[in-house]
């Protein structure tokens, strides 16, 4: 399995309820899972735990079969684990291509190979090569989000985590970005947190989060 969460419990400090309770999930390379549920049910928390940004109180996170902790985050994020957030923090004055290749440059790749790989990823998410040289601040929201997907994939991660990647887009653009995400991420284990049923429906599998009712017995 590229990503496995085993019996994870997570609670924020000073909160009196678990956000994640005995949560388990396995995702293989080439597989996509949509983690779905309304706002406040723990999707972003799950993303934080799976992305080694939040330490669960108990349970384990395995990446490519190896148990990992938040101590491994700086080594794995941008490499074995790619992350796409709701709004992409592109560097506004750098070009689309530069933004996409940054993770490779910071991993020590030379500019030529980094540019070639970034160009390939941008093409996969449907960015026109004529736009590669544009400043990132000049592109549309949908394009910026696709740049974010390309940037997350440029390091060829085994696991791609996406948290509400289309939430800030209109429906039509969201669909284009969603399709780009699913097709470009087909060689990773994709975990997509979303409350959008249309987007979630594109995944191989849907996991509902936080649906156990608190008002049971009423
Ligand atoms: N940093 C935090 N400190 C305390 N509580 C938090 C924090 N972040 C989120 N929560 C709470 O944890 C629950 C799950 O939040 P979150 O994972 O953001 O849900 P979702 O992404 O599904 O909207 C919510 O009740 C939220 O208020
Ligand atoms: Mg969230």
């Amino acid at each position: 399995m590229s990503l496995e969460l085993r019996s994870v419990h997570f609670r924020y400090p000073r909160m009196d309820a678990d956000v994640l309770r005995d949560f388990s999930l396995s995702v293989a390379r080439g597989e996509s899972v949509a983690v779905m549920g309304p706002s406040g049910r723990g999707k972003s928390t799950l993303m934080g735990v799976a992305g080694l940004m939040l330490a669960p109180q108990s349970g384990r996170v395995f990446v490519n079969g190896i148990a990992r902790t938040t101590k491994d985050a700086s080594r794995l994020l941008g490499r074995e684990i790619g992350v796409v957030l709701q709004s992409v923090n592109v560097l506004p004055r750098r070009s689309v291509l530069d933004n996409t290749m940054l993770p490779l440059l910071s991993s020590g790749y030379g500019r030529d190979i980094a540019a070639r790989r970034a160009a390939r990823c941008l093409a996969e998410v449907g960015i026109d090569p004529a736009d590669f040289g544009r400043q990132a601040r000049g592109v549309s929201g949908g394009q910026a989000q696709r740049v974010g997907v390309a940037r997350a994939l440029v390091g060829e991660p085994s696991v791609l985590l996406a948290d509400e990647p289309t939430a800030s887009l209109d429906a039509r653009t969201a669909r284009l970005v969603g399709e780009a995400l699913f097709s470009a991420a087909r060689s990773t284990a994709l975990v997509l947190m979303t409350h959008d049923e249309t987007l979630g429906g594109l995944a191989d599998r849907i996991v509902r989060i936080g649906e156990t009712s608190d008002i049971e017995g009423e």
Side-chain angles (χ1 to χ4, degrees):
M1 286 297 157
S2 292
L3 176 69
E4 185 180 355
L5 274 66
R6 205 179 285 170
S7 232
V8 165
H9 287 253
F10 185 90
R11 176 184 294 216
Y12 289 100
R14 292 179 298 280
M15 297 282 283
D16 54 9
D18 293 330
V19 179
L20 301 173
R21 181 181 304 169
D22 198 18
F23 187 91
S24 297
L25 176 69
S26 295
V27 193
R29 193 178 188 87
E31 189 186 17
S32 57
V33 174
V35 175
M36 301 202 62
S39 180
R41 298 296 169 87
K43 299 182 297 297
S44 294
T45 303
L46 176 64
M47 162 107 175
V49 171
L52 309 176
M53 295 166 269
L54 295 173
Q57 278 78 20
S58 65
R60 315 283 292 277
V61 178
F62 298 85
V63 180
N64 292 321
I66 302 171
R68 298 296 194 179
T69 70
T70 52
K71 292 195 188 79
D72 301 305
S74 59
R75 206 151 23 90
L76 266 56
L77 285 172
R79 297 181 172 88
E80 275 184 71
I81 303 173
V83 166
V84 182
L85 301 175
Q86 180 172 333
S87 50
V88 193
N89 49 338
V90 286
L91 299 177
R93 297 165 98 70
R94 303 287 289 273
S95 72
V96 162
L97 186 69
D98 275 355
N99 270 284
T100 309
M101 63 200 257
L102 279 176
L104 293 179
L105 296 180
S106 57
S107 303
Y109 283 84
R111 276 197 79 83
D112 286 355
I113 185 164
R116 239 177 294 130
R117 277 170 63 167
R120 199 174 61 222
C121 288
L122 286 167
E124 270 175 32
V125 297
I127 300 286
D128 187 334
D131 290 329
F132 289 2
R134 287 178 69 189
Q135 280 193 348
R137 63 177 172 178
V139 306
S140 70
Q143 282 175 315
Q145 198 55 303
R146 279 182 284 176
V147 170
V149 173
R151 189 178 59 188
L153 287 169
V154 77
E156 297 180 348
S158 314
V159 177
L160 182 68
L161 305 172
D163 191 8
E164 307 271 12
T166 64
S168 58
L169 306 173
D170 66 73
R172 197 183 71 86
T173 311
R175 205 190 68 229
L176 293 174
V177 170
E179 286 166 358
L181 175 68
F182 279 97
S183 83
R186 63 190 172 267
S187 58
T188 72
L190 171 61
V191 185
L192 167 68
M193 326 300 155
T194 183
H195 65 266
D196 178 339
E197 295 285 340
T198 310
L199 183 64
L202 296 173
D204 297 328
R205 189 149 59 89
I206 292 178
V207 171
R208 305 273 165 188
I209 191 170
E211 289 213 323
T212 48
S213 174
D214 291 329
I215 54 170
E216 233 170 0
E218 271 191 15

